[in-house]
Amino acid sequence: ISIGWVIFSFESQVDFFRYLGYLWGKNQIPWINSKFAYFSFSHRIGVLLCLIFATPIPYNLWKKIQSKISLSYCTVGFLMALFILSIAYLVDSTYNPFLYFRF
């Protein structure tokens, strides 16, 4: 997958092979550096949510909420909160590494 994205990301073959070398550790670039610290700090909430939602805890909590609150209100509230958080993250970030936004 990462090779496929790299093919469309770079315009020259030199940059393509240089990046693949970096990707596979050709130049001994350390894994933990200032960029790692920046991205781990700026995406800490998303990583934490991914770790939580990868467990069965949210499913059990969702079942308890469904038994106490009407499903329609709970679903609408959850989706609205998710929508507002998504918009907040999109507005907050000025750098977007998504490939298709370049075209």
Side-chain angles (χ1 to χ4, degrees), residues 30-40:
W31 283 83
I32 298 176
N33 54 17
S34 61
K35 286 184 181 180
F36 175 80
Y38 170 74
F39 285 120
S40 63

